[in-house]
Amino acid sequence: MTQILVVDDDRAVARLVQRCFEGSDVEVLTSQRADEVIPLIEKHTIDVLLLDIMLPEISGLDLARQIRKIDSKLPIIFVTGRDDSETTIEAMKLGAYDYLVKPLDVGMVQELVERAIENRRLMHEPVVLTPQQADDHESGDLLVGRSPQMLAVYKEVGRVAAQNVNVLIRGESGSGKELIARAIYQHSNRNNQPFLAVNCAALSETLLESELFGHEKGAFTGADSRRIGKFEQCNGGTIFLDEVGDMSLTIQAKVLRLLQDQRFERLGGTETITTDVRIISATNRDLEEMIADGDFRLDLFHRLKSFEIAIPPLRDRDGDLEQLVQYFLKQFNRQLGKEITGLSAESLARLKAYDWPGNIRELQGVLRKSMLMATSTVLAPEWLPPELFGGPTPSRSSESHGSNEDAFDIFLAQLESRGSEDMYAESLEWMEQRLLSFVLDKTGGNQSKAAALLGITRGSLRHKMRALGITVEQVVKGDD
């Protein structure tokens, strides 16, 4: 259960946040008194704190200093009634995740809180490296695999984690680069400081530059106030630059300067700011080829790869597929209330014969969708998706249900036949999975466009994709 704590004097913020997450698995705790905050944080596992800067008994900034002594990694979102740049800068320097200016926008609040929840997960949930713990692991994330290829990766993480050097993680999409980055952070000497992740491919050049370095008021259209960037906000901590190969040459130059002397200027500003961050970067692109084409700086490449870790694709991990399948079956059985004990011999053979271009994320999605469709305790070939057969599988509907029934009728019949007592929730999940996959395919995987078509925020879309096990690689047709 995700828990959010909202501290505001008039409960207006609390009511808005409760409305944002009504009907979800998020519990919103509220308080109007500053002296209740520390006991609540000590009693509950708070994932995000929304804190009004102006409280009757004490300044929100002073309260945040006390909270930092108890939980230095708790994402704090400050709420303020005025756009006072000096106050917000002071808040960000205290390690705040972000801040909101009243009047609040429901969509903006929900998206920001969801991003903070994800950031908390990245820092808080352990990444277990020891492969022998795979059978007993119940919480956090596990790097599953006992192949020689993955054992070599675990050793490299162990060698570099405690060293204050930059790390470049390379591997195909869906191979687990984020997990490796989190494992390095959690086993490092900076693990009591913030960990912030930035997807360099998800933002335009201007927005990415602002996200990393911050901006001054008026630096570009829409920059109506000064904003602190991630490098300034994460002073003393670790930044994970995902898809680093998608940075423009302009931003590459600024990142290079930061790596050289830990100094930078905000976008549109002249003040030189110093910071101390460790950079872990990741890419699925051929940086050497990009360097040859003039699209990536050679000097930045060498700065980023003080130490390099290459993650093997799933198809090259000898013997890991079966272990991953068993691990995900247990995980999804708990999530879906299923009792799938294993795969038939033919189904396992299909999984082994498939090339897995989307790697582990694709395997997760395939197993989850198949388990949703299955009506027995063993996953038979009829429940596997068409891509594992090299195309459509006509026998799936015609032999088992009749060719005139549509997919949803088939699914409802399956729910009824196994005596489901949660048909509403399971049907909504079935519908959401297909709707999101359809829209993402139509937008070519562009999450901003997909969110606009769906009428939800991009943060809500990302949250739903994660919950449903959907990845862009699975849904975009013709994606290599």
Side-chain angles (χ1 to χ4, degrees):
M1 171 70 74
T2 299
Q3 293 186 316
I4 300 171
L5 175 58
V6 184
V7 183
D8 65 323
D9 184 37
D10 60 5
R11 289 185 51 79
V13 180
R15 287 192 293 270
L16 185 144
V17 174
Q18 287 171 328
R19 190 161 79 246
C20 286
F21 294 95
E22 188 176 7
S24 70
D25 60 350
V26 175
E27 181 182 6
V28 180
L29 306 175
T30 65
S31 175
Q32 294 174 271
R33 295 172 52 88
D35 58 4
E36 295 176 344
V37 175
I38 301 297
L40 282 169
I41 290 174
E42 292 175 335
K43 180 180 179 181
H44 298 274
T45 305
I46 304 299
D47 295 286
V48 179
L49 170 64
L50 280 88
L51 179 60
D52 201 322
I53 286 182
M54 302 300 293
L55 295 172
E57 309 97 329
I58 187 175
S59 161
L61 297 176
D62 292 334
L63 182 56
R65 292 186 181 95
Q66 297 177 27
I67 294 168
R68 279 281 166 257
K69 296 176 182 177
I70 301 170
D71 188 344
S72 62
K73 296 189 286 187
L74 175 64
I76 300 176
I77 299 174
F78 283 101
V79 181
T80 177
R82 56 183 184 174
D83 189 5
D84 181 342
S85 61
E86 294 306 316
T87 301
T88 53
I89 288 174
E90 183 64 25
M92 300 303 283
K93 288 182 177 179
L94 281 174
Y97 180 76
D98 214 322
Y99 65 93
L100 291 163
V101 179
K102 298 176 182 178
L104 303 182
D105 175 77
V106 175
M108 182 180 296
V109 170
Q110 182 170 352
E111 180 168 356
L112 182 58
V113 171
E114 286 176 347
R115 279 167 40 205
I117 290 170
E118 174 66 6
N119 189 74
R120 176 67 158 179
R121 186 192 69 81
L122 292 176
M123 288 191 285
H124 192 67
E125 285 191 8
V127 178
V128 180
L129 287 171
T130 309
Q132 287 76 14
Q133 295 179 357
D135 296 333
D136 303 321
H137 184 69
E138 293 291 335
S139 62
D141 291 314
L142 178 69
L143 279 162
V144 179
R146 298 172 183 169
S147 63
Q149 295 89 342
M150 286 307 295
L151 289 176
V153 170
Y154 304 151
K155 290 176 183 176
E156 289 176 335
V157 171
R159 289 189 189 104
V160 76
Q163 308 300 318
N164 194 28
V165 298
N166 300 317
V167 181
L168 175 63
I169 305 168
R170 308 181 77 168
E172 294 180 4
S173 182
S175 58
K177 296 188 290 295
E178 180 202 284
L179 281 181
I180 294 295
R182 286 169 52 202
I184 294 170
Y185 159 72
Q186 290 173 5
H187 290 82
S188 74
N189 298 326
R190 295 177 181 243
N191 60 8
N192 62 340
Q193 297 297 321
F195 175 85
L196 298 177
V198 179
N199 188 328
C200 300
L203 301 170
S204 67
E205 178 179 347
T206 300
L207 289 178
L208 178 58
E209 187 173 1
S210 171
E211 183 81 358
L212 294 177
F213 302 101
H215 64 253
E216 298 291 345
K217 183 176 181 179
F220 54 88
T221 303
D224 51 7
S225 63
R226 176 187 287 177
R227 184 171 183 83
I228 302 298
K230 290 290 187 284
F231 282 124
E232 189 171 356
Q233 179 186 352
C234 199
N235 187 27
T238 303
I239 286 184
F240 175 46
L241 297 180
D242 198 8
E243 305 300 346
V244 72
D246 288 80
M247 289 192 305
S248 69
L249 288 170
T250 301
I251 298 178
Q252 288 178 38
K254 293 195 72 170
V255 172
L256 176 64
R257 186 197 171 196
L258 183 138
L259 286 170
Q260 289 171 335
D261 54 21
Q262 298 284 297
R263 295 173 183 271
F264 65 94
E265 286 86 32
R266 299 189 193 102
L267 183 60
T270 57
E271 178 189 359
T272 299
I273 300 160
T274 59
T275 189
D276 173 25
V277 293
R278 182 186 191 182
I279 295 180
I280 302 174
S281 54
T283 185
N284 59 6
R285 302 183 66 175
D286 187 335
L287 295 184
E288 287 85 356
E289 182 178 335
M290 292 182 66
I291 291 167
D293 293 339
D295 295 325
F296 202 85
R297 296 182 62 120
L298 178 62
D299 44 8
L300 177 60
F301 174 69
H302 289 302
R303 287 278 183 174
L304 290 173
K305 62 166 287 187
S306 298
F307 192 92
E308 181 177 322
I309 296 178
I311 305 178
L314 180 55
R315 61 184 172 275
D316 292 341
R317 292 170 52 174
D318 303 333
D320 281 352
L321 180 68
E322 294 92 328
Q323 187 184 354
L324 285 160
V325 167
Q326 289 304 315
Y327 174 69
F328 290 133
L329 286 182
K330 290 181 182 179
Q331 188 180 66
F332 295 146
N333 274 334
R334 291 194 299 268
Q335 293 178 7
L336 304 175
K338 294 276 193 173
E339 296 181 357
I340 307 294
T341 57
L343 279 70
S344 69
E346 184 181 347
S347 294
L348 184 58
R350 289 285 183 182
L351 263 61
K352 288 183 173 180
Y354 187 60
D355 200 38
W356 299 109
N359 289 289
I360 299 186
R361 277 207 301 262
E362 185 179 11
L363 175 63
Q364 285 179 294
V366 164
L367 290 174
R368 200 174 197 279
K369 285 186 282 189
S370 300
M371 289 174 70
L372 279 170
M373 296 293 291
T375 58
S376 64
T377 58
V378 175
L379 281 183
E382 63 180 297
W383 309 121
L384 298 177
E387 57 263 30
L388 268 67
F389 296 81
T393 51
S395 62
R396 186 176 306 177
S397 59
S398 60
E399 293 180 9
S400 302
H401 306 283
S403 58
N404 293 326
E405 294 182 12
D406 65 27
F408 188 58
D409 289 338
I410 295 170
F411 180 70
L412 291 177
Q414 293 165 359
L415 293 182
E416 184 180 18
S417 67
R418 65 177 171 83
S420 171
E421 296 181 352
D422 198 12
M423 290 183 70
Y424 181 76
E426 291 188 61
S427 297
L428 283 180
E429 184 173 22
W430 187 94
M431 179 276 295
E432 276 197 322
Q433 189 146 37
R434 280 146 187 80
L435 174 62
L436 266 60
S437 297
F438 173 81
V439 174
L440 284 164
D441 177 50
K442 292 298 181 184
T443 60
N446 186 308
Q447 294 180 30
S448 296
K449 291 181 180 178
L453 286 175
L454 291 164
I456 60 177
T457 65
R458 193 173 67 179
S460 295
L461 175 60
R462 287 197 300 264
H463 181 73
K464 290 178 182 294
M465 289 173 65
R466 182 174 186 84
L468 295 168
I470 296 173
T471 67
V472 172
E473 291 83 3
Q474 295 166 0
V475 298
V476 179
K477 296 173 183 175
D479 191 285
D480 292 328

